[in-house]
Amino acid sequence: MGVDYQHDTVSQRVTLLQADLDERVMDRWGVYTNGAYTIGDLTILPGIRFDDTGIESNLLSYTLGATYQLTEKTVLRCYGAKGYSLPNALRVKPPEQVWTAQVGAESSELPYVWLKGTFFYNQLWDIDNAYIPDLKQAVRQGGEFEVRTVPLYGLFFTAGYTFTDARNRETNERIKTVPVHSAKLSLQYDDSHTGLRGVLTGNYVRWNTPPENGARDASVLWDLSLTKSISLREYAPELFFTVHNVFDNSQYQLFMLENTGRWLEGGMRFKF
């Protein structure tokens, strides 16, 4: 159980005009409780929350989930929930609300591999999208798949893929700017004997934007990060070096907001 409280003063200023456009003071508070009840291999996970959002809206959110230990290495899970997201603090709009349901499983039954799959279905309403003003209700559904290998000589691989079908609930048209396909890849190395660690990550997004946006989404963005502990003591400093966007690729949704090209950083970290 718990209580949240937040006090905000929000203002907006246009520097070019040297003008203050608006200012608001908001006090938000919420109370919540979550629990878990286990019967054999079944665990039930209920939760409920009440929020005074500070924008003339009181909202009740709730969730009910469950997991079932099918075998020693396989877990089934599902949940349904109702929630919300706050709008722009300077616009008097009702919060966007969502009802979501998910079902999935994760397993390490296959040798050397961990697998996880999830199907999801979301209904959204009271949408406030400045780029798509006619969008008030939406449905998002799809699936996610993840895989991870066990370490072999310090190396292990992880990958995740998401498919999303997002549509205007009133017209059934697919919503632009919501990626249909996205994927992440990672190859990691960890040598506890030498203190050397490294990770190569790749990120791919199919932006699903109108042609006039001039999107670039044919490339994968790769990052490489290396760290080396100076000694094997618990609080020993470590050196780090990172190359962002290794191949200087382009991946952006709008031609006016291009992604950063290749850039480097490095230094030393201290833990204490």
Side-chain angles (χ1 to χ4, degrees):
M1 299 179 65
V3 178
D4 289 336
Y5 174 76
Q6 183 174 342
H7 174 77
D8 292 323
T9 300
V10 185
S11 61
Q12 183 177 11
R13 180 174 177 82
V14 179
T15 306
L16 184 63
L17 301 177
Q18 292 294 304
D20 294 320
L21 299 185
D22 200 357
E23 182 171 310
R24 296 185 64 193
V25 176
M26 294 181 295
D27 291 282
R28 305 172 183 165
W29 61 270
V31 293
Y32 61 89
T33 182
N34 299 289
Y37 184 71
T38 300
I39 309 172
D41 294 324
L42 175 68
T43 299
I44 301 173
L45 305 159
I48 191 167
R49 179 184 179 103
F50 175 82
D51 283 285
D52 184 328
T53 62
I55 55 173
E56 302 178 2
S57 297
N58 298 328
L59 293 172
L60 184 67
S61 305
Y62 48 82
T63 178
L64 179 62
T67 65
Y68 183 76
Q69 192 75 38
L70 185 63
T71 69
E72 184 180 351
K73 298 182 179 181
T74 300
V75 176
L76 307 179
R77 49 187 171 72
C78 64
Y79 81 85
K82 178 181 177 295
Y84 71 94
S85 63
L86 290 173
N88 186 315
L90 296 173
R91 301 175 65 184
V92 183
K93 295 280 187 177
E96 179 181 302
Q97 299 189 61
V98 60
W99 182 88
T100 180
Q102 293 192 13
V103 60
E106 55 185 270
S107 175
S108 56
E109 297 284 358
L110 296 178
Y112 313 114
V113 177
W114 172 86
L115 301 171
K116 180 181 179 181
T118 303
F119 295 98
F120 60 86
Y121 179 86
N122 302 328
Q123 287 188 8
L124 302 96
W125 64 97
D126 291 336
I127 297 173
D128 180 24
N129 189 320
Y131 299 101
I132 314 177
D134 295 333
L135 181 62
K136 302 302 178 184
Q137 301 182 57
V139 172
R140 296 189 184 191
Q141 56 189 329
E144 298 178 337
F145 179 75
E146 299 173 59
V147 59
R148 182 174 68 237
T149 64
V150 299
L152 180 64
Y153 300 109
L155 281 170
F156 60 98
F157 172 79
T158 60
Y161 166 77
T162 302
F163 170 81
T164 304
D165 182 16
R167 296 182 181 271
N168 187 320
R169 195 177 176 192
E170 297 174 317
T171 65
N172 200 38
E173 294 179 352
R174 178 165 279 171
I175 301 170
K176 297 296 183 181
T177 73
V178 177
V180 178
H181 307 282
S182 59
K184 291 184 180 293
L185 307 170
S186 173
L187 180 63
Q188 300 182 59
Y189 176 76
D190 190 348
D191 188 343
S192 58
H193 299 291
T194 64
L196 177 63
R197 298 190 303 276
V199 55
L200 176 67
T201 58
N203 184 72
Y204 174 78
V205 180
R206 189 72 172 179
W207 285 114
N208 184 38
T209 59
E212 58 269 21
N213 280 27
R216 296 287 297 273
D217 54 8
S219 301
V220 179
L221 295 188
W222 295 96
D223 295 333
L224 175 64
S225 179
L226 300 172
T227 61
K228 175 68 170 69
S229 297
I230 295 178
S231 73
L232 298 180
R233 296 181 180 178
E234 182 178 1
Y235 297 105
E238 64 180 19
L239 302 173
F240 71 91
F241 177 73
T242 303
V243 185
H244 300 273
N245 195 359
V246 176
F247 301 105
D248 198 24
N249 289 332
S250 296
Q251 187 189 98
Y252 49 84
Q253 188 179 35
L254 185 63
F255 69 94
M256 294 185 297
L257 301 173
E258 296 185 8
N259 65 285
T260 305
R262 183 189 302 113
W263 61 285
L264 314 176
E265 63 176 334
M268 182 179 291
R269 296 191 184 101
F270 295 89
K271 300 178 181 179
F272 54 90

